[in-house]
PDB file of all heavy atoms in Angstrom:
ATOM      1  N   VAL R  19      83.247  88.950  91.731  1.00  0.00           N
ATOM      2  CA  VAL R  19      84.106  89.478  90.620  1.00  0.00           C
ATOM      3  C   VAL R  19      85.450  89.562  91.102  1.00  0.00           C
ATOM      4  O   VAL R  19      86.465  89.160  90.520  1.00  0.00           O
ATOM      5  CB  VAL R  19      83.538  90.827  90.126  1.00  0.00           C
ATOM      6  CG1 VAL R  19      84.632  91.479  89.314  1.00  0.00           C
ATOM      7  CG2 VAL R  19      82.338  90.691  89.509  1.00  0.00           C
ATOM      8  N   GLY R  20      85.693  90.162  92.348  1.00  0.00           N
ATOM      9  CA  GLY R  20      87.050  90.305  92.870  1.00  0.00           C
ATOM     10  C   GLY R  20      87.673  88.970  93.236  1.00  0.00           C
ATOM     11  O   GLY R  20      88.841  88.733  93.025  1.00  0.00           O
ATOM     12  N   LEU R  21      86.865  88.112  93.847  1.00  0.00           N
ATOM     13  CA  LEU R  21      87.412  86.741  94.280  1.00  0.00           C
ATOM     14  C   LEU R  21      87.888  85.994  93.148  1.00  0.00           C
ATOM     15  O   LEU R  21      88.952  85.256  93.160  1.00  0.00           O
ATOM     16  CB  LEU R  21      86.312  86.084  95.153  1.00  0.00           C
ATOM     17  CG  LEU R  21      86.095  86.670  96.511  1.00  0.00           C
ATOM     18  CD1 LEU R  21      84.798  86.019  97.148  1.00  0.00           C
ATOM     19  CD2 LEU R  21      87.181  86.306  97.398  1.00  0.00           C
ATOM     20  N   VAL R  22      87.080  85.897  92.131  1.00  0.00           N
ATOM     21  CA  VAL R  22      87.406  85.144  90.818  1.00  0.00           C
ATOM     22  C   VAL R  22      88.622  85.659  90.109  1.00  0.00           C
ATOM     23  O   VAL R  22      89.533  84.960  89.709  1.00  0.00           O
ATOM     24  CB  VAL R  22      86.243  84.945  89.931  1.00  0.00           C
ATOM     25  CG1 VAL R  22      86.661  84.377  88.631  1.00  0.00           C
ATOM     26  CG2 VAL R  22      85.163  84.182  90.615  1.00  0.00           C
ATOM     27  N   THR R  23      88.715  87.006  90.133  1.00  0.00           N
ATOM     28  CA  THR R  23      89.887  87.596  89.525  1.00  0.00           C
ATOM     29  C   THR R  23      91.081  87.393  90.262  1.00  0.00           C
ATOM     30  O   THR R  23      92.230  87.082  89.682  1.00  0.00           O
ATOM     31  CB  THR R  23      89.614  89.083  89.298  1.00  0.00           C
ATOM     32  OG1 THR R  23      88.410  89.448  88.578  1.00  0.00           O
ATOM     33  CG2 THR R  23      90.703  89.900  88.645  1.00  0.00           C
ATOM     34  N   ALA R  24      91.007  87.506  91.619  1.00  0.00           N
ATOM     35  CA  ALA R  24      92.176  87.219  92.420  1.00  0.00           C
ATOM     36  C   ALA R  24      92.668  85.828  92.252  1.00  0.00           C
ATOM     37  O   ALA R  24      93.912  85.513  92.145  1.00  0.00           O
ATOM     38  CB  ALA R  24      91.932  87.451  93.868  1.00  0.00           C
ATOM     39  N   ALA R  25      91.773  84.853  92.270  1.00  0.00           N
ATOM     40  CA  ALA R  25      92.066  83.414  92.095  1.00  0.00           C
ATOM     41  C   ALA R  25      92.751  83.144  90.758  1.00  0.00           C
ATOM     42  O   ALA R  25      93.695  82.360  90.678  1.00  0.00           O
ATOM     43  CB  ALA R  25      90.784  82.636  92.282  1.00  0.00           C
ATOM     44  N   THR R  26      92.177  83.822  89.729  1.00  0.00           N
ATOM     45  CA  THR R  26      92.780  83.589  88.393  1.00  0.00           C
ATOM     46  C   THR R  26      94.197  84.268  88.298  1.00  0.00           C
ATOM     47  O   THR R  26      95.111  83.572  87.685  1.00  0.00           O
ATOM     48  CB  THR R  26      91.826  84.284  87.240  1.00  0.00           C
ATOM     49  OG1 THR R  26      90.515  83.855  87.401  1.00  0.00           O
ATOM     50  CG2 THR R  26      92.377  84.065  85.894  1.00  0.00           C
ATOM     51  N   PHE R  27      94.381  85.416  88.765  1.00  0.00           N
ATOM     52  CA  PHE R  27      95.824  85.998  88.783  1.00  0.00           C
ATOM     53  C   PHE R  27      96.689  85.068  89.589  1.00  0.00           C
ATOM     54  O   PHE R  27      97.882  84.703  89.169  1.00  0.00           O
ATOM     55  CB  PHE R  27      95.743  87.277  89.416  1.00  0.00           C
ATOM     56  CG  PHE R  27      95.345  88.415  88.485  1.00  0.00           C
ATOM     57  CD1 PHE R  27      94.664  89.584  89.045  1.00  0.00           C
ATOM     58  CD2 PHE R  27      95.375  88.339  87.202  1.00  0.00           C
ATOM     59  CE1 PHE R  27      94.311  90.623  88.192  1.00  0.00           C
ATOM     60  CE2 PHE R  27      94.887  89.329  86.294  1.00  0.00           C
ATOM     61  CZ  PHE R  27      94.354  90.370  86.864  1.00  0.00           C
ATOM     62  N   GLY R  28      96.209  84.454  90.703  1.00  0.00           N
ATOM     63  CA  GLY R  28      97.076  83.718  91.547  1.00  0.00           C
ATOM     64  C   GLY R  28      97.563  82.497  90.965  1.00  0.00           C
ATOM     65  O   GLY R  28      98.643  82.025  90.891  1.00  0.00           O
ATOM     66  N   ALA R  29      96.512  81.817  90.222  1.00  0.00           N
ATOM     67  CA  ALA R  29      96.857  80.602  89.436  1.00  0.00           C
ATOM     68  C   ALA R  29      97.780  80.908  88.196  1.00  0.00           C
ATOM     69  O   ALA R  29      98.732  80.053  88.019  1.00  0.00           O
ATOM     70  CB  ALA R  29      95.593  79.879  88.902  1.00  0.00           C
ATOM     71  N   ALA R  30      97.562  81.912  87.504  1.00  0.00           N
ATOM     72  CA  ALA R  30      98.340  82.298  86.385  1.00  0.00           C
ATOM     73  C   ALA R  30      99.814  82.608  86.768  1.00  0.00           C
ATOM     74  O   ALA R  30     100.756  82.203  86.070  1.00  0.00           O
ATOM     75  CB  ALA R  30      97.764  83.426  85.629  1.00  0.00           C
ATOM     76  N   LEU R  31      99.952  83.421  87.903  1.00  0.00           N
ATOM     77  CA  LEU R  31     101.279  83.873  88.360  1.00  0.00           C
ATOM     78  C   LEU R  31     102.036  82.785  89.265  1.00  0.00           C
ATOM     79  O   LEU R  31     103.250  82.945  89.466  1.00  0.00           O
ATOM     80  CB  LEU R  31     101.139  85.145  89.013  1.00  0.00           C
ATOM     81  CG  LEU R  31     100.617  86.305  88.208  1.00  0.00           C
ATOM     82  CD1 LEU R  31     100.418  87.522  89.139  1.00  0.00           C
ATOM     83  CD2 LEU R  31     101.545  86.657  87.098  1.00  0.00           C
ATOM     84  N   GLY R  32     101.207  81.942  89.796  1.00  0.00           N
ATOM     85  CA  GLY R  32     101.850  80.948  90.800  1.00  0.00           C
ATOM     86  C   GLY R  32     102.200  81.682  92.089  1.00  0.00           C
ATOM     87  O   GLY R  32     103.157  81.241  92.690  1.00  0.00           O
ATOM     88  N   VAL R  33     101.363  82.668  92.574  1.00  0.00           N
ATOM     89  CA  VAL R  33     101.634  83.353  93.794  1.00  0.00           C
ATOM     90  C   VAL R  33     100.501  83.132  94.738  1.00  0.00           C
ATOM     91  O   VAL R  33      99.331  82.845  94.323  1.00  0.00           O
ATOM     92  CB  VAL R  33     101.783  84.847  93.525  1.00  0.00           C
ATOM     93  CG1 VAL R  33     102.955  85.025  92.562  1.00  0.00           C
ATOM     94  CG2 VAL R  33     100.567  85.510  93.028  1.00  0.00           C
ATOM     95  N   PRO R  34     100.754  83.236  96.047  1.00  0.00           N
ATOM     96  CA  PRO R  34      99.615  83.070  97.035  1.00  0.00           C
ATOM     97  C   PRO R  34      98.613  84.080  96.916  1.00  0.00           C
ATOM     98  O   PRO R  34      98.907  85.354  96.669  1.00  0.00           O
ATOM     99  CB  PRO R  34     100.381  83.115  98.401  1.00  0.00           C
ATOM    100  CG  PRO R  34     101.643  83.867  98.036  1.00  0.00           C
ATOM    101  CD  PRO R  34     102.002  83.583  96.729  1.00  0.00           C
ATOM    102  N   VAL R  35      97.330  83.664  97.228  1.00  0.00           N
ATOM    103  CA  VAL R  35      96.178  84.614  97.243  1.00  0.00           C
ATOM    104  C   VAL R  35      95.655  84.594  98.730  1.00  0.00           C
ATOM    105  O   VAL R  35      95.297  83.569  99.248  1.00  0.00           O
ATOM    106  CB  VAL R  35      95.138  84.208  96.323  1.00  0.00           C
ATOM    107  CG1 VAL R  35      93.888  85.211  96.361  1.00  0.00           C
ATOM    108  CG2 VAL R  35      95.633  84.147  94.897  1.00  0.00           C
ATOM    109  N   HIS R  36      95.658  85.754  99.298  1.00  0.00           N
ATOM    110  CA  HIS R  36      95.169  85.931 100.658  1.00  0.00           C
ATOM    111  C   HIS R  36      93.760  86.637 100.686  1.00  0.00           C
ATOM    112  O   HIS R  36      93.514  87.463  99.878  1.00  0.00           O
ATOM    113  CB  HIS R  36      96.143  86.715 101.504  1.00  0.00           C
ATOM    114  CG  HIS R  36      97.565  86.338 101.368  1.00  0.00           C
ATOM    115  ND1 HIS R  36      98.148  85.268 101.964  1.00  0.00           N
ATOM    116  CD2 HIS R  36      98.537  86.862 100.558  1.00  0.00           C
ATOM    117  CE1 HIS R  36      99.405  85.162 101.580  1.00  0.00           C
ATOM    118  NE2 HIS R  36      99.710  86.107 100.697  1.00  0.00           N
ATOM    119  N   GLY R  37      93.054  86.348 101.799  1.00  0.00           N
ATOM    120  CA  GLY R  37      91.807  87.058 101.891  1.00  0.00           C
ATOM    121  C   GLY R  37      91.818  88.006 103.152  1.00  0.00           C
ATOM    122  O   GLY R  37      92.619  87.762 104.159  1.00  0.00           O
ATOM    123  N   LEU R  38      91.087  89.023 103.096  1.00  0.00           N
ATOM    124  CA  LEU R  38      90.901  89.938 104.269  1.00  0.00           C
ATOM    125  C   LEU R  38      89.428  90.389 104.374  1.00  0.00           C
ATOM    126  O   LEU R  38      88.913  90.675 103.311  1.00  0.00           O
ATOM    127  CB  LEU R  38      91.865  91.100 104.382  1.00  0.00           C
ATOM    128  CG  LEU R  38      93.276  90.927 104.998  1.00  0.00           C
ATOM    129  CD1 LEU R  38      93.838  92.248 104.958  1.00  0.00           C
ATOM    130  CD2 LEU R  38      93.196  90.404 106.448  1.00  0.00           C
ATOM    131  N   CYS R  39      88.963  90.523 105.639  1.00  0.00           N
ATOM    132  CA  CYS R  39      87.566  91.074 105.721  1.00  0.00           C
ATOM    133  C   CYS R  39      87.444  92.496 105.228  1.00  0.00           C
ATOM    134  O   CYS R  39      88.341  93.294 105.524  1.00  0.00           O
ATOM    135  CB  CYS R  39      87.095  90.886 107.139  1.00  0.00           C
ATOM    136  SG  CYS R  39      85.564  91.720 107.493  1.00  0.00           S
ATOM    137  N   THR R  40      86.581  92.782 104.319  1.00  0.00           N
ATOM    138  CA  THR R  40      86.447  94.170 103.792  1.00  0.00           C
ATOM    139  C   THR R  40      86.212  95.182 104.903  1.00  0.00           C
ATOM    140  O   THR R  40      86.773  96.200 104.755  1.00  0.00           O
ATOM    141  CB  THR R  40      85.281  94.176 102.701  1.00  0.00           C
ATOM    142  OG1 THR R  40      85.503  93.291 101.679  1.00  0.00           O
ATOM    143  CG2 THR R  40      84.940  95.546 102.293  1.00  0.00           C
ATOM    144  N   LEU R  41      85.477  94.783 105.848  1.00  0.00           N
ATOM    145  CA  LEU R  41      85.183  95.652 107.041  1.00  0.00           C
ATOM    146  C   LEU R  41      86.461  96.059 107.650  1.00  0.00           C
ATOM    147  O   LEU R  41      86.707  97.307 108.232  1.00  0.00           O
ATOM    148  CB  LEU R  41      84.172  95.156 107.947  1.00  0.00           C
ATOM    149  CG  LEU R  41      82.845  94.818 107.456  1.00  0.00           C
ATOM    150  CD1 LEU R  41      81.961  94.216 108.579  1.00  0.00           C
ATOM    151  CD2 LEU R  41      82.112  96.054 106.916  1.00  0.00           C
ATOM    152  N   ASP R  42      87.446  95.093 107.726  1.00  0.00           N
ATOM    153  CA  ASP R  42      88.795  95.394 108.310  1.00  0.00           C
ATOM    154  C   ASP R  42      89.572  96.453 107.589  1.00  0.00           C
ATOM    155  O   ASP R  42      90.224  97.233 108.223  1.00  0.00           O
ATOM    156  CB  ASP R  42      89.588  94.098 108.526  1.00  0.00           C
ATOM    157  CG  ASP R  42      88.992  93.082 109.404  1.00  0.00           C
ATOM    158  OD1 ASP R  42      87.971  93.314 110.118  1.00  0.00           O
ATOM    159  OD2 ASP R  42      89.631  91.989 109.464  1.00  0.00           O
ATOM    160  N   GLY R  43      89.492  96.442 106.213  1.00  0.00           N
ATOM    161  CA  GLY R  43      90.101  97.538 105.520  1.00  0.00           C
ATOM    162  C   GLY R  43      89.478  98.882 105.816  1.00  0.00           C
ATOM    163  O   GLY R  43      90.281  99.819 105.939  1.00  0.00           O
ATOM    164  N   LEU R  44      88.250  98.960 105.853  1.00  0.00           N
ATOM    165  CA  LEU R  44      87.593 100.228 106.197  1.00  0.00           C
ATOM    166  C   LEU R  44      87.924 100.674 107.687  1.00  0.00           C
ATOM    167  O   LEU R  44      88.225 101.873 107.922  1.00  0.00           O
ATOM    168  CB  LEU R  44      86.074 100.050 106.101  1.00  0.00           C
ATOM    169  CG  LEU R  44      85.465 100.219 104.674  1.00  0.00           C
ATOM    170  CD1 LEU R  44      84.247  99.608 104.635  1.00  0.00           C
ATOM    171  CD2 LEU R  44      85.407 101.723 104.323  1.00  0.00           C
ATOM    172  N   ALA R  45      88.045  99.721 108.623  1.00  0.00           N
ATOM    173  CA  ALA R  45      88.415  99.980 109.981  1.00  0.00           C
ATOM    174  C   ALA R  45      89.792 100.549 109.933  1.00  0.00           C
ATOM    175  O   ALA R  45      90.216 101.517 110.721  1.00  0.00           O
ATOM    176  CB  ALA R  45      88.411  98.780 110.827  1.00  0.00           C
ATOM    177  N   HIS R  46      90.725  99.962 109.204  1.00  0.00           N
ATOM    178  CA  HIS R  46      92.077 100.369 109.147  1.00  0.00           C
ATOM    179  C   HIS R  46      92.327 101.874 108.609  1.00  0.00           C
ATOM    180  O   HIS R  46      93.153 102.629 109.072  1.00  0.00           O
ATOM    181  CB  HIS R  46      92.943  99.408 108.238  1.00  0.00           C
ATOM    182  CG  HIS R  46      94.395  99.730 108.255  1.00  0.00           C
ATOM    183  ND1 HIS R  46      95.278  99.510 109.310  1.00  0.00           N
ATOM    184  CD2 HIS R  46      95.255 100.407 107.252  1.00  0.00           C
ATOM    185  CE1 HIS R  46      96.470  99.861 109.024  1.00  0.00           C
ATOM    186  NE2 HIS R  46      96.411 100.397 107.831  1.00  0.00           N
ATOM    187  N   ALA R  47      91.391 102.171 107.799  1.00  0.00           N
ATOM    188  CA  ALA R  47      91.425 103.543 107.103  1.00  0.00           C
ATOM    189  C   ALA R  47      90.655 104.515 107.936  1.00  0.00           C
ATOM    190  O   ALA R  47      90.801 105.764 107.652  1.00  0.00           O
ATOM    191  CB  ALA R  47      90.830 103.442 105.763  1.00  0.00           C
ATOM    192  N   SER R  48      89.953 104.176 109.039  1.00  0.00           N
ATOM    193  CA  SER R  48      89.143 105.006 109.700  1.00  0.00           C
ATOM    194  C   SER R  48      89.955 106.149 110.421  1.00  0.00           C
ATOM    195  O   SER R  48      89.325 107.341 110.608  1.00  0.00           O
ATOM    196  CB  SER R  48      88.302 104.266 110.745  1.00  0.00           C
ATOM    197  OG  SER R  48      89.135 103.814 111.840  1.00  0.00           O
ATOM    198  N   GLY R  49      91.076 105.924 110.996  1.00  0.00           N
ATOM    199  CA  GLY R  49      91.785 106.895 111.790  1.00  0.00           C
ATOM    200  C   GLY R  49      91.324 107.041 113.214  1.00  0.00           C
ATOM    201  O   GLY R  49      91.794 107.851 113.869  1.00  0.00           O
ATOM    202  N   LEU R  50      90.248 106.176 113.529  1.00  0.00           N
ATOM    203  CA  LEU R  50      89.684 106.328 114.883  1.00  0.00           C
ATOM    204  C   LEU R  50      90.602 105.598 115.914  1.00  0.00           C
ATOM    205  O   LEU R  50      91.216 104.650 115.575  1.00  0.00           O
ATOM    206  CB  LEU R  50      88.217 105.687 114.924  1.00  0.00           C
ATOM    207  CG  LEU R  50      87.283 106.447 114.011  1.00  0.00           C
ATOM    208  CD1 LEU R  50      85.965 105.623 113.951  1.00  0.00           C
ATOM    209  CD2 LEU R  50      86.978 107.815 114.633  1.00  0.00           C
ATOM    210  N   THR R  51      90.579 106.169 117.182  1.00  0.00           N
ATOM    211  CA  THR R  51      91.526 105.660 118.109  1.00  0.00           C
ATOM    212  C   THR R  51      90.686 105.057 119.292  1.00  0.00           C
ATOM    213  O   THR R  51      91.296 104.423 120.211  1.00  0.00           O
ATOM    214  CB  THR R  51      92.356 106.846 118.655  1.00  0.00           C
ATOM    215  OG1 THR R  51      91.528 107.888 119.119  1.00  0.00           O
ATOM    216  CG2 THR R  51      93.420 107.256 117.606  1.00  0.00           C
ATOM    217  N   GLU R  52      89.337 105.363 119.333  1.00  0.00           N
ATOM    218  CA  GLU R  52      88.441 104.804 120.302  1.00  0.00           C
ATOM    219  C   GLU R  52      87.644 103.649 119.810  1.00  0.00           C
ATOM    220  O   GLU R  52      87.697 103.450 118.543  1.00  0.00           O
ATOM    221  CB  GLU R  52      87.528 105.791 120.905  1.00  0.00           C
ATOM    222  CG  GLU R  52      86.556 106.429 119.931  1.00  0.00           C
ATOM    223  CD  GLU R  52      86.957 107.623 119.213  1.00  0.00           C
ATOM    224  OE1 GLU R  52      87.931 107.612 118.563  1.00  0.00           O
ATOM    225  OE2 GLU R  52      86.177 108.621 119.286  1.00  0.00           O
ATOM    226  N   PRO R  53      86.894 102.865 120.594  1.00  0.00           N
ATOM    227  CA  PRO R  53      86.136 101.813 120.011  1.00  0.00           C
ATOM    228  C   PRO R  53      85.071 102.355 119.086  1.00  0.00           C
ATOM    229  O   PRO R  53      84.476 103.390 119.270  1.00  0.00           O
ATOM    230  CB  PRO R  53      85.374 101.188 121.348  1.00  0.00           C
ATOM    231  CG  PRO R  53      86.391 101.498 122.387  1.00  0.00           C
ATOM    232  CD  PRO R  53      87.025 102.879 122.043  1.00  0.00           C
ATOM    233  N   PHE R  54      84.900 101.594 117.935  1.00  0.00           N
ATOM    234  CA  PHE R  54      84.077 102.114 116.950  1.00  0.00           C
ATOM    235  C   PHE R  54      83.448 101.129 116.097  1.00  0.00           C
ATOM    236  O   PHE R  54      83.623  99.806 116.345  1.00  0.00           O
ATOM    237  CB  PHE R  54      84.839 103.066 115.963  1.00  0.00           C
ATOM    238  CG  PHE R  54      86.027 102.375 115.194  1.00  0.00           C
ATOM    239  CD1 PHE R  54      85.784 101.891 113.846  1.00  0.00           C
ATOM    240  CD2 PHE R  54      87.222 102.132 115.775  1.00  0.00           C
ATOM    241  CE1 PHE R  54      86.911 101.254 113.195  1.00  0.00           C
ATOM    242  CE2 PHE R  54      88.272 101.482 115.173  1.00  0.00           C
ATOM    243  CZ  PHE R  54      88.024 101.166 113.787  1.00  0.00           C
ATOM    244  N   VAL R  55      82.516 101.365 115.159  1.00  0.00           N
ATOM    245  CA  VAL R  55      81.750 100.414 114.360  1.00  0.00           C
ATOM    246  C   VAL R  55      81.961 100.843 112.860  1.00  0.00           C
ATOM    247  O   VAL R  55      82.170 101.963 112.569  1.00  0.00           O
ATOM    248  CB  VAL R  55      80.308 100.641 114.729  1.00  0.00           C
ATOM    249  CG1 VAL R  55      79.400  99.951 113.662  1.00  0.00           C
ATOM    250  CG2 VAL R  55      79.939 100.158 116.047  1.00  0.00           C
ATOM    251  N   VAL R  56      82.097  99.776 112.060  1.00  0.00           N
ATOM    252  CA  VAL R  56      82.157  99.876 110.642  1.00  0.00           C
ATOM    253  C   VAL R  56      80.835  99.288 110.091  1.00  0.00           C
ATOM    254  O   VAL R  56      80.533  98.236 110.524  1.00  0.00           O
ATOM    255  CB  VAL R  56      83.271  99.195 110.016  1.00  0.00           C
ATOM    256  CG1 VAL R  56      83.341  99.186 108.470  1.00  0.00           C
ATOM    257  CG2 VAL R  56      84.602  99.797 110.537  1.00  0.00           C
ATOM    258  N   ALA R  57      80.158  99.951 109.156  1.00  0.00           N
ATOM    259  CA  ALA R  57      78.917  99.453 108.609  1.00  0.00           C
ATOM    260  C   ALA R  57      78.855  99.795 107.133  1.00  0.00           C
ATOM    261  O   ALA R  57      79.183 101.004 106.730  1.00  0.00           O
ATOM    262  CB  ALA R  57      77.659 100.078 109.343  1.00  0.00           C
ATOM    263  N   THR R  58      78.634  98.829 106.318  1.00  0.00           N
ATOM    264  CA  THR R  58      78.382  99.068 104.856  1.00  0.00           C
ATOM    265  C   THR R  58      77.019  98.707 104.431  1.00  0.00           C
ATOM    266  O   THR R  58      76.237  98.078 105.207  1.00  0.00           O
ATOM    267  CB  THR R  58      79.390  98.182 104.030  1.00  0.00           C
ATOM    268  OG1 THR R  58      79.122  96.854 104.285  1.00  0.00           O
ATOM    269  CG2 THR R  58      80.824  98.547 104.356  1.00  0.00           C
TER     270      THR R  58
END
């Protein structure tokens, strides 16, 4: 759902569409400063 919507917006607007690992977003929001794990 998200990938198709992003691709459609990108084509309609003529702007670049980038991907990022979902786990990386959670890691960025974690606030942890030591080695850690993200699990969904």
